[in-house]
Amino acid sequence: MPELVLKPKKAQPFYARHPWVFAGAVASVQGSPEDGAEVDLLSSTGNFVARGLYNSRSKILARLYSWDPERHLDRDFFRDKLAMAIRLRHELLGLGDSRGACRLVFSEADGLSGLIVDRYADWLTLQFTSLALAQRRQMLAEILADLLAPRGMVVRTERGIGKLEGLELHDGPLWGDPPDGPILIEENGLRFHVNICEGQKTGFYLDQRENRQAVARLAEGRRVLDGFCYTGGFGLFAARAGATEVIGLDASESAIALAEANARENRLDQVSFIRGDVFDELARLEREGQRFDMVILDPPK
């Protein structure tokens, strides 16, 4: 097994299970590992710390996955980690509804640094931010197919990651049949059209589920402006909660089209959308003397 030997006094974060080994913490690389290969991380005194996957093209020289010297990073290892992540969502968080959507695997949070898996009804999206896991994408897809039996899986890429990781990946099908257009998901009783093959992130901002509910609790009887509305998530929940009027703003023509479809799907007639630069539209609304009881601003980074 190739080895990374740490500099003196650099081992403590990794004994504490920090998963990223930056090149500056490493004194030497023993054994000439290829990019994506398994490597053992050793302390400066030669003690085993953890096992990870190597990438000479990245500032993160290795990502760590196992702290058991007897456990190799093989198919069985990744199957166990994926099964544990899925079980957490289904059994403990109650996110197993086949009509819904949720993040099944969240990279370091599930001990799978560099992999994000989102489920949208009968399809999965996979996002790779690690060269080594991208190299194993077919194996990971086969495991997920066995565990979840989806209709298909697609790869979504994050801008800039390819350069940082020395990774060449493009959005597109990975396994099974991709959807032939937007698919319908359900979140807390509302239905949303989601295009998992294009658009921002992996198709929908799944991490805002609780925030959409929190905002909705404040919306009853109010006139609401939803800036950077994307496909209408915040605004539609506000409308269902009793907002008197909701106006959504977004620069993306395709996002506005889906937002309008989502409003029709949920029969929320007090919602309308305007396509345009949000800053310009805010200035225009101010000039016109428009007033709102609630303003939601959730801009992209």
Side-chain angles (χ1 to χ4, degrees):
M1 181 73 68
E3 297 170 343
L4 306 186
V5 181
L6 290 165
K7 294 176 180 178
K9 300 182 180 179
K10 293 292 185 180
Q12 185 174 352
F14 309 112
Y15 279 122
R17 303 207 171 198
H18 194 292
W20 292 1
V21 182
F22 285 97
V26 175
S28 63
V29 179
Q30 308 292 332
S32 302
E34 294 184 359
D35 290 333
E38 280 188 55
V39 291
D40 280 349
L41 184 68
L42 306 183
S43 70
S44 60
T45 55
N47 294 316
F48 176 86
V49 179
R51 183 160 291 148
L53 298 173
Y54 180 74
N55 186 4
S56 67
R57 308 179 208 181
S58 173
K59 291 181 180 180
I60 304 173
L61 199 58
R63 294 173 186 258
L64 304 178
Y65 299 93
S66 174
W67 281 258
D68 179 353
E70 304 301 320
R71 194 79 199 264
H72 285 278
L73 308 182
D74 54 16
R75 177 183 286 264
D76 287 342
F77 173 85
F78 286 105
R79 182 184 177 88
D80 288 347
K81 298 294 279 187
L82 289 169
M84 185 182 301
I86 293 166
R87 190 164 58 248
L88 170 66
R89 273 67 177 186
H90 288 184
E91 296 180 6
L92 298 183
L93 301 181
L95 297 174
D97 185 349
S98 61
R99 299 167 299 176
C102 72
R103 178 146 293 175
L104 289 174
V105 177
F106 194 12
S107 198
E108 288 80 14
D110 290 296
L112 288 167
S113 178
L115 174 65
I116 291 171
V117 181
D118 290 339
R119 178 180 58 78
Y120 292 96
D122 294 327
W123 283 270
L124 303 179
T125 64
L126 281 72
Q127 190 175 85
F128 296 94
T129 56
S130 153
L131 172 68
L133 292 195
Q135 291 174 339
R136 291 161 171 80
R137 60 190 178 274
Q138 289 297 334
M139 177 192 72
L140 295 168
E142 290 168 5
I143 294 170
L144 289 166
D146 186 47
L147 293 173
L148 294 165
R151 291 177 61 179
M153 303 181 211
V154 299
V155 170
R156 296 300 309 272
T157 54
E158 180 79 10
R159 184 179 300 175
I161 290 297
K163 184 176 180 181
L164 291 172
E165 282 287 301
L167 170 62
E168 289 190 19
L169 267 186
H170 303 283
D171 291 359
L174 176 61
W175 182 93
D177 299 319
D180 56 7
I183 60 177
L184 269 176
I185 64 165
E186 187 171 307
E187 179 182 292
N188 292 316
L190 287 184
R191 289 158 64 87
F192 292 91
H193 294 83
V194 178
N195 192 335
I196 66 170
C197 296
E198 56 187 64
Q200 297 174 24
K201 297 297 182 179
T202 64
F204 197 67
Y205 286 88
L206 297 173
D207 58 336
Q208 296 284 20
R209 181 193 316 269
E210 287 76 19
N211 288 339
R212 286 187 278 266
Q213 290 292 94
V215 166
R217 288 193 289 270
L218 304 174
E220 184 176 5
R222 300 182 189 276
R223 187 177 191 230
V224 175
L225 179 67
D226 183 7
F228 310 98
C229 66
Y230 192 42
T231 58
F234 278 104
L236 296 187
F237 276 103
R240 189 186 65 172
T244 58
E245 182 185 9
V246 177
I247 297 175
L249 308 175
D250 203 278
S252 168
E253 183 174 359
S254 60
I256 289 292
L258 279 181
E260 290 173 339
N262 291 336
R264 291 192 299 270
E265 180 72 30
N266 293 284
R267 300 180 181 179
L268 295 169
D269 299 330
Q270 73 272 47
V271 183
S272 60
F273 297 95
I274 298 170
R275 185 175 74 86
D277 180 274
V278 175
F279 298 102
D280 292 342
E281 292 301 322
L282 289 172
R284 178 183 65 79
L285 291 168
E286 182 183 23
R287 288 195 303 271
E288 293 176 357
Q290 299 272 5
R291 292 292 181 267
F292 296 88
D293 306 302
M294 174 189 285
V295 177
I296 303 163
L297 295 174
D298 180 29
K301 64 181 180 180

